[in-house]
């Protein structure tokens, strides 16, 4: 039999789901968040799906003096460190 | 499972097939674009509208269907995908006779999905993955799926192939686009959020379904649907896991796209900081652009810069997830797993995804220029979408509502996403403040008039 805590958790979850869905429907019904002139919305999940993405994401909008290889080394180094941390977390009970 | 023992693994196994099928399509697109000798573009519906006066960019359906180009591209798409997938099924030991009619009907259902999801109002908020799942679920939970259609329901095959094609659009050169600022915001935060959600999901909430936890964590911290598809496939997530992760991500993306800019404005944050926060936390790239735009042009650029770095992360994270699951999760004992065993378990298509990304980034882009790679990706994007639509329609056709409800684990999965997303926002906010507020480092300047 479900305990009081479990019941309360279920009720809170159901309320949250209803509220979230209602809110999303309200946004869609009122066409909120859209931009006139852009032929896409949140439904364009990947950059390649966005019409005219190259005009939106301008080339060389930021210039850095840091060499490219430094970015690569930091990228790989941090990735490796995080992977080790993942294994450590997973080993803990 | 169908097996054809006389066929070498490279040709007969689904993972390897995804690689060579993906690369045949990539090669076709490269030759077509670079030589301009032929057009291999796949069919797509332009935005159309039902009585929508505001849809200035909508192309009337009659005009779309009346153009020969539409039908020519439709035939090309069916031929390219149909021939390659049928060949794959044949080499797997499946029945071509049964597969071809089933594939054609599945393709027609997928065509309906793409038609629906091109409608002006419907495609503003909900991506085709949602409509594919919904239409598939409606069919399977009402009239049911006839036995003769089942040979075409090959979700993993289509997803893996789509991912290899997608790899070509993951351009590693984007890593330095926003210098160390971008790397700090996108790459420092993302893995920490994944690890936090892994710890919360597996240790605190005690969710046994680890592929679901990692799929949801990647969708939350990286970039929604595409990250979910890649890590879901890398971890061997079930179809329901993917449906749940993507559905949650899609719904919350709508909320975050609207409310995040409002809160940022109310908090008086600068455009640069607000945009970077949006780029690091809102899931879909389309929603990132719109939410950034709501704050202003500088915010839009900052959001896009951070998101473009996150898009590179998909391949690396999928790779490490595949290694982690092959070495730590998919084993029955505490014994150390040997290299041979790891190789057997490793999802090989990830190598194809990675190779495609590296070839596009380090060979084709320097040799042929960004413009050519962009044109090739325009062609490939449609094939990737077709493969994913076939996959998600298959998921819908193969799922019932009860199974999905069961996988929600009494609501734990939803709370894992909500808490993970709150943590993601808090940590990204800290990174944005640390790097872009001017308190510690110089504030970067974006040249918006390039």
């Amino acid at each position: 039999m479900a305990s009081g805590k479990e019941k309360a958790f279920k009720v809170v979850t159901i309320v949250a789901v209803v509220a979230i869905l209602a809110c999303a429907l309200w946004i869609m019904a009122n066409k909120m968040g859209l931009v006139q002139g852009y032929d896409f919305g949140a439904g364009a999940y990947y950059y390649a799906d966005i019409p005219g993405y190259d005009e939106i994401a301008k080339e060389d909008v930021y210039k850095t003096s840091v060499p490219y290889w430094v970015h690569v080394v930091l990228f790989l180094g941090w990735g490796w460190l995080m992977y080790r941390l993942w294994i450590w977390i997973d080993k803990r009970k | 499972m169908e097996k054809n023992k006389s066929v070498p693994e490279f040709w007969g196994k689904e993972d390897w097939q995804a690689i060579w099928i993906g690369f045949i399509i990539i090669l076709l697109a490269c030759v077509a674009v670079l030589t301009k000798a032929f057009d291999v573009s796949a069919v797509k519906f332009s935005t159309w509208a039902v009585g929508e006066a505001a849809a200035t960019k909508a192309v009337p359906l009659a005009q779309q269907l009346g153009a020969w180009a539409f039908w020519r591209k439709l035939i090309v798409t069916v031929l390219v995908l149909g021939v390659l997938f049928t060949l794959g099924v044949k080499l797997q030991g499946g029945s071509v006779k049964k597969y071809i009619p089933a594939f054609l009907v599945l393709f027609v259902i997928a065509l309906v999905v793409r038609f629906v999801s091109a409608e002006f109002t419907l495609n503003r908020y909900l991506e085709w993955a949602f409509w594919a799942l919904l239409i598939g679920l409606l069919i399977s939970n009402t009239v049911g799926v006839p036995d003769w259609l089942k040979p075409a329901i090959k979700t993993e095959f289509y997803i893996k192939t789509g991912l290899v094609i997608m790899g070509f659009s993951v351009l590693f050169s984007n890593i330095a686009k926003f210098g160390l600022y971008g790397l700090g915001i996108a790459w420092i935060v993302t893995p920490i959020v994944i690890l936090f959600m892994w710890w919360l999901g597996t240790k605190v909430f005690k969710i046994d379904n680890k592929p679901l936890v990692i799929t949801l964590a990647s969708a939350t911290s990286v970039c929604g649907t595409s990250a979910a598809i890649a890590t879901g496939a890398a971890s061997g997530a079930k179809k329901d896991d993917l449906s749940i992760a993507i559905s949650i991500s899609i719904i919350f993306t709508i909320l975050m796209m609207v409310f995040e800019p409002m809160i940022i404005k109310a908090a008086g944050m600068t455009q640069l900081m607000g945009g970077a926060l949006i780029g690091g936390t809102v899931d879909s790239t389309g929603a990132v652009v719109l939410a950034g735009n709501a704050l202003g042009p500088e915010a839009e650029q900052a959001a896009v810069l951070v998101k473009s770095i996150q898009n590179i992360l998909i391949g690396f994270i999928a790779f490490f997830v595949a290694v982690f699951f092959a070495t730590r999760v998919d084993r029955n004992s505490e014994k150390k797993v040997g290299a041979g065993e790891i190789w057997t378990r490793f999802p090989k298509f990830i190598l194809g995804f990675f190779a495609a990304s590296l070839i596009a980034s380090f060979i084709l882009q320097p040799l042929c220029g960004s413009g050519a790679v962009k044109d090739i990706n325009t062609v490939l994007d449609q094939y990737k979408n077709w493969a994913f639509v076939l996959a998600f329609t298959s998921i819908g056709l193969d799922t019932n509502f009860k199974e999905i409800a069961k996988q929600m684990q009494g609501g734990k999965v939803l709370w894992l996403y909500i808490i993970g997303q709150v943590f993601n926002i808090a940590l990204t906010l800290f990174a944005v403040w640390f790097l872009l507020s001017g308190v510690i480092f110089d504030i970067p300047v974006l040249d918006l008039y390039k």
Side-chain angles (χ1 to χ4, degrees), chain B residues 85-232:
Chain B
F85 284 137
T86 304
L87 187 62
V89 168
K90 167 82 181 154
L91 292 170
Q92 284 172 27
S95 162
V96 170
K97 236 187 196 173
K98 286 180 182 170
Y99 181 75
I100 291 175
F103 173 80
L104 291 174
V105 173
L106 181 69
F107 190 89
V108 170
I109 301 172
L111 195 67
V112 172
V113 168
R114 295 211 63 182
F115 167 73
V116 170
S117 55
E119 201 280 325
F120 181 81
T121 309
L122 300 181
N123 80 2
R124 294 300 103 168
Y125 296 100
L126 301 165
E127 59 203 49
W128 47 257
F130 176 86
W131 297 109
L133 285 172
L134 188 72
I135 290 172
L137 277 166
L138 279 177
I139 294 171
S140 63
N141 288 272
T142 51
V143 292
V145 180
D147 285 340
W148 56 262
L149 185 56
K150 288 179 181 166
I153 298 176
K154 293 189 167 291
T155 307
E156 289 188 7
F157 191 24
Y158 305 137
I159 281 191
K160 289 169 183 173
T161 307
L163 279 169
V164 173
I165 298 170
M166 184 176 149
F168 201 83
S169 66
V170 178
L171 299 173
F172 204 68
S173 52
N174 286 347
I175 194 177
K177 255 191 161 178
F178 195 14
L180 296 179
Y181 295 103
L183 201 61
I185 295 162
W187 186 222
I188 298 286
V189 173
T190 301
I192 297 178
V193 174
I194 291 179
L195 298 193
F196 170 76
M197 288 182 72
W198 177 264
W199 167 79
L200 186 69
T202 60
K203 308 286 177 189
V204 180
F205 287 164
K206 310 249 182 248
I207 298 172
D208 295 330
N209 187 348
K210 291 184 174 181
L212 172 59
V213 173
I214 197 66
T215 305
L216 195 63
S218 306
T220 312
S221 64
V222 189
C223 49
T225 302
S226 36
I229 294 172
T231 48

Side-chain angles (χ1 to χ4, degrees), chain B residues 209-396:
Chain B
N209 187 348
K210 291 184 174 181
L212 172 59
V213 173
I214 197 66
T215 305
L216 195 63
S218 306
T220 312
S221 64
V222 189
C223 49
T225 302
S226 36
I229 294 172
T231 48
S235 64
K238 292 192 290 290
K239 56 188 182 346
D240 304 334
D241 305 337
L242 206 51
S243 310
I244 289 167
I246 287 174
S247 305
I248 293 176
S249 168
I250 288 172
I251 298 295
F252 275 90
T253 298
I254 296 170
L255 305 188
M256 288 172 72
M257 176 182 83
V258 172
F259 294 125
E260 213 170 303
M262 284 182 187
I263 296 167
I264 288 169
K265 261 187 193 168
M269 211 181 281
T270 65
Q271 277 200 35
L272 186 69
M273 289 173 69
L277 179 62
I278 285 168
T281 53
V282 176
D283 288 342
S284 97
T285 308
V288 163
V289 175
L290 297 181
N293 183 283
L295 293 177
E298 194 183 13
E300 186 182 68
Q301 287 307 312
V304 168
L305 284 171
V306 173
K307 199 70 197 169
S308 59
I309 299 171
Q310 279 200 339
N311 280 325
I312 315 168
L313 306 181
I314 303 170
F316 282 87
I317 288 172
F319 179 81
F320 283 114
V321 166
V323 173
F324 185 87
F325 272 71
T327 53
R328 297 202 54 81
V329 179
D330 301 334
R331 61 181 191 186
N332 299 320
S333 70
E334 283 302 305
K335 275 186 204 160
K336 206 168 180 194
V337 184
E341 184 62 22
I342 292 170
W343 176 246
T344 307
R345 291 173 185 175
F346 189 81
K348 317 292 185 298
F349 74 93
I350 291 288
L351 300 175
F353 179 95
F354 229 60
S357 172
L358 294 177
I359 290 169
S361 304
F362 297 110
I363 299 176
L364 229 71
Q365 202 172 28
L367 276 180
C368 308
S370 303
V373 172
K374 188 198 90 183
D375 291 344
I376 294 165
N377 274 322
T378 305
V379 175
L380 291 176
D381 188 50
Q382 289 312 316
Y383 280 103
K384 174 212 79 183
N385 282 348
W386 274 108
F388 286 166
V389 170
L390 288 169
F392 280 88
T393 309
S394 298
I395 292 176

Side-chain angles (χ1 to χ4, degrees), chain A residues 9-10 12-13 16-17 20-21 23-24 26-51 53-64 66 68 70-72 74-80 82-83 85-87 89-93, chain B residues 47 52 57 124-125 127-128 169-170 172 175 177-181 183 187-188 191-192 195 198 203 210 214 225-226 251-252 254-255 257-259 262 284-286 289-290 293 300-301 304-305 311 313 316 320 323-324 327-328 362 374 381 384-385 388 410-411 414-415 444-448 450:
Chain A
F9 181 74
K10 259 190 184 169
V12 173
T13 303
V17 168
I20 289 159
L21 288 178
C23 200
W26 176 70
I27 287 170
M28 289 191 270
N30 290 289
K31 296 186 167 50
M32 292 171 76
L34 301 180
V35 174
Q36 192 83 30
Y38 279 171
D39 187 26
F40 62 88
Y45 77 96
Y46 192 53
Y47 84 91
D49 295 326
I50 296 175
Y53 184 74
D54 285 338
E55 288 152 35
I56 297 164
K58 295 185 174 101
E59 272 294 311
D60 299 328
V61 74
Y62 175 74
K63 282 251 185 314
T64 178
V66 180
Y68 179 72
V70 174
H71 292 83
V72 175
L74 288 172
F75 181 85
L76 295 175
W78 182 249
W80 178 82
M82 288 296 102
Y83 186 73
L85 182 63
W86 190 11
I87 291 172
I89 291 171
D90 194 59
K91 274 183 181 166
R92 289 180 58 132
K93 293 281 170 201
Chain B
T47 304
E52 178 64 68
K57 294 202 173 175
R124 294 300 103 168
Y125 296 100
E127 59 203 49
W128 47 257
S169 66
V170 178
F172 204 68
I175 194 177
K177 255 191 161 178
F178 195 14
L180 296 179
Y181 295 103
L183 201 61
W187 186 222
I188 298 286
I192 297 178
L195 298 193
W198 177 264
K203 308 286 177 189
K210 291 184 174 181
I214 197 66
T225 302
S226 36
I251 298 295
F252 275 90
I254 296 170
L255 305 188
M257 176 182 83
V258 172
F259 294 125
M262 284 182 187
S284 97
T285 308
V289 175
L290 297 181
N293 183 283
E300 186 182 68
Q301 287 307 312
V304 168
L305 284 171
N311 280 325
L313 306 181
F316 282 87
F320 283 114
V323 173
F324 185 87
T327 53
R328 297 202 54 81
F362 297 110
K374 188 198 90 183
D381 188 50
K384 174 212 79 183
N385 282 348
F388 286 166
L414 177 71
W415 291 107
V445 179
L446 301 187
D447 187 355
L448 303 178
K450 280 267 173 192

Side-chain angles (χ1 to χ4, degrees), chain B residues 19 28 35 45 68 76 136 155 163 186 202 224 245 277 280 314 319 342 347 355 399 406 417 422 430 433 444:
Chain B
I19 295 179
L28 268 177
T35 64
F45 286 98
W68 162 239
V76 169
T155 307
L163 279 169
T202 60
L277 179 62
I314 303 170
F319 179 81
I342 292 170
T399 307
K406 208 173 148 192
Y417 179 86
V422 170
F430 173 74
W433 170 83

